[in-house]
Amino acid sequence: MRMLDVAAGNIRVAIPSDASAIAEVYVETWRAAYAGILPDRTLVRMSVASQIRQWRSLLNAGDAVLVVTDGAEIVGFGGYGPNRERNLPYSGEVYTLYVSPDYQNQGLGRRLLRAMFKALQRDGHESAIIWVLAENPSRFFYECEGGAKIADRNEFLWGVSVRELGYGWSFLSLGAA
Ligand SMILES: CC(C)(COP(=O)(O)OP(=O)(O)OC[C@H]1O[C@@H](n2cnc3c(N)ncnc32)[C@H](O)[C@@H]1OP(=O)(O)O)[C@@H](O)C(=O)NCCC(=O)NCCS
C-alpha cells in the first residue's frame, strides 16, 4: 500500500488529457474489485485502449469528472451528473467512484464522494443516488457515508445479468459536510 497524506491528496476537475490515466485506474481497480463477482472472461476482455477512447469522448463531451492526485499521478476519480433513472426521486447521481487499490482505505474515496456531492449541490441537485453491484463490498462504504438502501434492479452488464443496489442521499447538504 502506498501511504498518502490525505490532506495532501489533491482533488481537481478532470480534463480530456487525463483520459489515459483515468482509464488505467479504472481497469486496474475494476479488475481488483470485481474478481470473483464478474466472470473472468469479462475481466480479461476489458481493455485499457477501449477505456481510453471512452473516457476521452466523455471528457470531450463535457462530462463532469473529479480526480484525486498524488503529485502528478491520478490515483482515483469519480463521475457525476443528473440522475439517469427518472422514476426515482433523486435529482443527482454519482456514476463512478474508483480509488486505485494501492491508495484505498486512506480516506480518499470519502473525500472524492463529498467533493462530488458539493459539486452536485452547486449544479442544483439536493439529492443523489449511486448504484453498486449487490455483491460488491464497497456498498458498506456507502452505508458508512450515510447512504440509505432505497432500490434494487437487475441489469444486463458486461455480458452478464447482475443485481444492483441503489443507495440514496435525500439531503446532500446534510451528508456532504
Ligand atoms: C469503494 C471505494 C471508492 C472507497 O474508497 P476508499 O478510499 O477505499 O475509502 P475510504 O478510505 O475513504 O473509507 C471511508 C470509510 O468507508 C469505510 N469503508 C471503505 N471501504 C469499505 C468496505 N469495503 N467495507 C466496509 N467499509 C468500508 C472505511 O472503513 C471508512 O470508514 P472509517 O473512516 O469509519 O474507517 C474504493 O475502495 C474503491 O474504489 N473500491 C473499488 C471500486 C468500487 O467498488 N467502486 C464503487 C463502484 S460503485
Side-chain angles (χ1 to χ4, degrees):
M1 179 193 274
R2 291 162 73 180
M3 292 306 288
L4 175 69
D5 174 359
V6 168
N10 205 27
I11 294 181
R12 65 168 171 82
V13 173
I15 52 174
S17 58
D18 293 325
S20 16
I22 289 174
E24 298 269 1
V25 171
Y26 183 66
V27 172
E28 184 195 12
T29 312
W30 200 86
R31 286 197 173 129
Y34 298 134
I37 296 179
L38 294 175
D40 288 349
R41 65 183 149 75
T42 309
L43 302 173
V44 171
R45 261 191 222 145
M46 179 176 227
S47 93
V48 174
S50 81
Q51 285 304 317
I52 293 175
R53 284 193 295 279
Q54 285 189 36
W55 285 102
R56 191 173 289 138
S57 106
L58 287 173
L59 292 168
N60 277 325
D63 270 40
V65 176
L66 297 182
V67 293
V68 60
T69 55
D70 178 9
E73 190 188 352
I74 289 175
V75 298
F77 69 93
Y80 61 92
N83 182 4
R84 294 168 294 189
E85 194 143 324
R86 293 289 169 85
N87 58 347
L88 289 167
Y90 293 83
S91 152
E93 179 174 352
V94 170
Y95 306 136
T96 48
L97 175 56
Y98 287 86
V99 173
S100 173
D102 280 353
Y103 286 87
Q104 288 175 11
N105 300 311
Q106 299 181 47
L108 295 181
R110 170 181 285 151
R111 283 191 54 216
L112 264 176
L113 183 67
R114 291 181 182 182
M116 286 193 279
F117 283 169
K118 283 195 175 140
L120 280 166
Q121 283 179 273
R122 277 197 298 272
D123 292 346
H125 301 289
E126 180 46 35
S127 58
I129 187 167
I130 297 177
W131 290 97
V132 57
L133 292 187
E135 287 185 63
N136 184 346
S138 75
R139 67 195 175 86
F140 299 115
F141 162 76
Y142 297 120
E143 287 172 15
C144 267
E145 293 304 304
K149 206 187 300 168
I150 45 100
D152 68 293
R153 68 185 183 189
N154 281 306
E155 286 283 283
F156 197 72
L157 293 175
W158 312 294
V160 281
S161 173
V162 290
R163 183 159 169 262
E164 291 191 317
L165 302 175
Y167 281 88
W169 284 257
S170 297
F171 300 102
L172 293 181
S173 45
L174 298 180

